[in-house]
Amino acid sequence: MKLDIKDCSLRRQQSNQQHENISKKLTENENKLRSIYKDCMDVIFRPFFIGGKERAILIYIEGLANVEEIDDNVLSPLMQIKEGEFHTNISILIEKKITVSNVKKIKIFSECIQEISLGNPVILVDKSETGVALGLSKWEKRSVSEPSAEAVVRGPREAFVEAISVNTTLIRRKIRSPMLKMQSMEIGRYTKTKVVITYIEGLVDQTLIEEAKNRLSRIDIDGIMETGMIEEFIEDNPYSPFPQVLTTERPDVVAASLLEGRLAILVDGSPFSIVVPTTFYSLLQSSEDYYSRFLIGTATRWLRYFFLVISLTLPSLYVAIITFHQEMVPTSLLISMAASREQVPFPALVEALIMEITFEALREAGLRLPKQVGSAVSIVGAIVIGESAVAAGIVSAPMVIVVALTGIASFTIARYPAAIAIRMLRFPVILLAGTLGLLGIMLALITIIIHLCTMRSFGVPYLSPMAPMKFREMKDVLIRAPWWELDSRPHFTGDYNKYRQAPGLKPDPTKGDEK
């Protein structure tokens, strides 16, 4: 307890120091900063003289600041100032002499510490109550590459990276209007993670912006490492397995969502962004649906919906039919299935659970192993284990086929968080099927549908526009209507800009070049 009290008093003392004004005495300022950055070997304190006359000190973090720019554009010009060039206001003199575009005046220690933590060097001068922060941050970052989690055949091949400045630039390249707004805030007591809320003014509802700000501002935590941590703090129903925000690493998906009247949340250090509000059907749509022809996009969407049902219910249907409803199977097929299960010592329920757990373990192992061997291990492991299990009489061949089809069906779900939710729900559905048969499956499906109907994402019904029914917006749910029919934006909440394109854009071959 004594140690806790000591730590709290030390933390309170440091907090008070950070909110003090910068003193005119350079020695006092330097001592305070050195006490704050005690045992920080990467924080550099570089004392120098401006024109050989005024004492000054430059503070920066090694690895976060551009040392070459500091030497060429800051230290060299200031140290070479001649006697007749001195100005009574030293801050104005610094701004005149250094060749740095981004210069900010600071007057309190908290601002000084914030700029240093961002990688911006800070100059403090003796007999001056104002410091100068220089926008010379530079650190290593990953180059823009293809998205790994949302690959497409047709569409842009660029993905977000961990640097938030690069991510905002990628969005700016897509939407070049000044109506694209970006508001930043910091979350995390120690990490001071930069979080950016971006939206298009005039398209998004103002209440949605305020709601997002309120939910983010109430987060009080030591640090934020990834968007998944933000997601758990801002979702409407935290106990639901279904994702209530759309996470994406594609700038084109974010740009398209902003044009629909949504807003996006970017987190520094994460290559994934959050889009809110979202609906259940948005999680089943791929960006490629809108880049290919509308007939192909519609057929692909129907295929995705079908395999969603297969992924959730196929193992449970097999267990229910084999256990309780053998009369539903044709006689010849039933005889074949009975022969294959003759040597299996377990009931169908246990058999299904064994194979499903084994398949999920193989899939997880394939993800965690190095990329070069992960896919090979998962595929070879599935083949070897499946054949060996059938040969040993632990499971039947039809069960291996059912589990394999279920796994393939789960891969067709466009969004990984939605696929994980379906995989989790598959196990309780199997248990109900093994105890109550088809009645158990119906109870499970009814419970899931009721749960989805009660959910909301930032106030928007999760099953919108199906529940409540909005016929005008159905053209982008069950089907993917042609672009010249998608003339209106989705209506979420509040006021919105309804039309997103001019009327009469349908191609008409009779209206050619008229002479």
Side-chain angles (χ1 to χ4, degrees):
M1 180 62 69
K2 291 183 179 179
L3 182 61
D4 294 340
I5 296 174
K6 183 179 179 181
D7 291 343
C8 291
S9 61
L10 179 61
R11 188 179 303 171
R12 191 180 302 111
Q13 180 182 358
Q14 291 180 349
S15 178
N16 294 334
Q17 288 181 351
Q18 293 177 14
H19 289 85
E20 292 179 358
N21 292 329
I22 295 176
S23 173
K24 284 187 176 182
K25 298 180 181 180
L26 180 62
T27 304
E28 183 179 342
N29 297 331
E30 181 180 356
N31 291 336
K32 287 181 180 179
L33 287 175
R34 286 187 182 274
S35 66
I36 292 173
Y37 287 108
K38 182 182 178 181
D39 297 329
C40 298
M41 51 81 61
D42 56 339
V43 178
I44 307 300
F45 290 82
R46 171 63 164 90
F48 66 99
F49 285 88
I50 299 177
K53 182 179 179 180
E54 293 292 343
R55 292 176 53 245
I57 188 169
L58 178 70
I59 309 103
Y60 64 92
I61 298 179
E62 186 178 12
L64 293 183
N66 192 330
V67 180
E68 293 79 8
E69 293 287 339
I70 292 174
D71 293 338
D72 297 338
N73 300 327
V74 180
L75 291 178
S76 180
L78 293 179
M79 296 173 71
Q80 295 177 6
I81 293 177
K82 297 179 182 180
E83 184 72 22
E85 296 177 334
F86 268 94
H87 195 280
T88 55
N89 191 327
I90 199 68
S91 299
I92 297 177
L93 176 63
I94 293 175
E95 293 179 4
K96 285 183 178 181
K97 285 299 179 181
I98 62 175
T99 56
V100 178
S101 59
N102 187 4
V103 178
K104 178 183 177 182
K105 294 181 180 181
I106 52 178
K107 293 186 177 182
I108 58 177
F109 275 99
S110 60
E111 294 179 349
C112 179
I113 294 170
Q114 180 182 18
E115 294 296 330
I116 294 174
S117 300
L118 292 174
N120 298 324
V122 172
I123 297 177
L124 299 178
V125 185
D126 195 18
K127 303 176 184 177
S128 176
E129 295 180 338
T130 303
V132 178
L134 311 173
L136 294 177
S137 61
K138 179 184 179 182
W139 55 83
E140 297 297 327
K141 55 180 177 291
R142 183 168 57 93
S143 60
V144 178
S145 59
E146 292 190 20
S148 57
E150 300 175 66
V152 295
V153 177
R154 182 176 182 178
R157 303 299 176 90
E158 57 186 10
F160 288 130
V161 297
E162 286 74 14
I164 195 169
S165 59
V166 177
N167 297 340
T168 55
T169 302
L170 291 174
I171 298 176
R172 286 284 181 188
R173 286 179 55 191
K174 300 289 183 183
I175 304 175
R176 303 179 182 180
S177 170
M179 304 305 290
L180 176 63
K181 308 298 181 181
M182 296 186 179
Q183 301 183 22
S184 65
M185 59 191 305
E186 287 185 351
I187 300 178
R189 299 173 184 172
Y190 296 99
T191 60
K192 304 294 183 182
T193 305
K194 185 177 182 181
V195 178
V196 174
I197 302 175
T198 177
Y199 57 90
I200 299 179
E201 189 176 23
L203 300 186
V204 66
D205 185 13
Q206 188 64 32
T207 57
L208 177 61
I209 302 174
E210 297 300 326
E211 181 66 21
K213 289 181 181 179
N214 292 336
R215 297 192 186 190
L216 290 174
S217 61
R218 70 178 181 85
I219 300 176
D220 187 8
I221 190 174
D222 285 345
I224 295 294
M225 300 292 112
E226 217 276 334
T227 53
M229 300 176 68
I230 296 283
E231 178 181 348
E232 290 195 28
F233 283 108
I234 65 175
E235 58 188 1
D236 292 59
N237 192 341
Y239 296 104
S240 173
F242 292 95
Q244 294 147 61
V245 300
L246 175 65
T247 56
T248 179
E249 60 177 343
R250 298 183 60 91
D252 59 319
V253 174
V254 173
S257 300
L258 297 181
L259 292 172
E260 288 185 345
R262 311 174 198 250
L263 64 82
I265 301 173
L266 308 178
V267 178
D268 193 17
S270 173
F272 288 88
S273 65
I274 296 175
V275 177
V276 293
T278 189
T279 62
F280 179 72
Y281 302 102
S282 300
L283 301 172
L284 303 179
Q285 298 171 356
S286 172
S287 59
E288 199 170 3
D289 294 350
Y290 300 94
Y291 301 145
S292 57
R293 293 176 56 82
F294 70 94
L295 293 176
I296 299 174
T298 300
T300 306
R301 190 168 292 182
W302 286 351
L303 186 69
R304 206 174 291 132
Y305 290 157
F306 173 73
F307 278 107
L308 169 68
V309 178
I310 292 296
S311 174
L312 180 62
T313 60
L314 184 59
S316 55
L317 283 173
Y318 177 82
V319 171
I321 291 174
I322 290 298
T323 306
F324 298 101
H325 310 284
Q326 296 89 349
E327 69 279 1
M328 298 180 63
V329 184
T331 304
S332 58
L333 179 58
L334 182 62
I335 294 173
S336 176
M337 295 172 64
S340 64
R341 298 196 73 256
E342 186 176 1
Q343 303 297 325
V344 178
F346 304 111
L349 174 61
V350 177
E351 185 184 2
L353 290 176
I354 290 174
M355 288 305 299
E356 283 293 341
I357 294 173
T358 304
F359 185 85
E360 294 298 330
L362 286 171
R363 176 155 46 185
E364 187 67 17
L367 290 175
R368 303 297 165 232
L369 284 171
K371 188 176 181 180
Q372 293 79 1
V373 297
S375 59
V377 169
S378 59
I379 295 174
V380 173
I383 295 175
V384 172
I385 291 176
E387 290 184 355
S388 301
V390 172
I394 300 176
V395 296
S396 62
M399 178 59 72
V400 175
I401 296 174
V402 168
V403 172
L405 288 175
T406 304
I408 295 173
S410 65
F411 291 141
T412 62
I413 301 176
R415 304 295 171 185
Y416 185 69
I420 294 178
I422 298 300
R423 285 158 52 186
M424 288 178 57
L425 291 173
R426 191 186 303 153
F427 290 95
V429 176
I430 292 175
L431 291 174
L432 287 173
T435 54
L436 299 176
L438 292 179
L439 177 61
I441 298 177
M442 294 303 299
L443 288 175
L445 294 179
I446 291 173
T447 303
I448 293 173
I449 293 174
I450 293 175
H451 173 68
L452 292 175
C453 290
T454 59
M455 286 178 57
R456 288 179 177 268
S457 173
F458 277 72
V460 177
Y462 198 58
L463 292 182
S464 177
M466 291 283 287
M469 184 70 71
K470 299 179 181 179
F471 291 100
R472 189 175 184 85
E473 299 180 15
M474 293 295 294
K475 64 180 73 172
D476 194 23
V477 176
L478 298 179
I479 64 171
R480 204 284 274 175
W483 271 110
W484 35 265
E485 285 287 346
L486 298 174
D487 55 347
S488 60
R489 292 183 181 84
H491 187 192
F492 299 115
T493 57
D495 297 331
Y496 80 115
N497 192 331
K498 184 175 182 179
Y499 297 102
R500 57 180 169 185
Q501 64 186 32
L505 297 181
K506 179 180 179 180
D508 190 351
T510 61
K511 296 181 180 180
D513 295 335
E514 298 181 358
K515 297 183 180 179

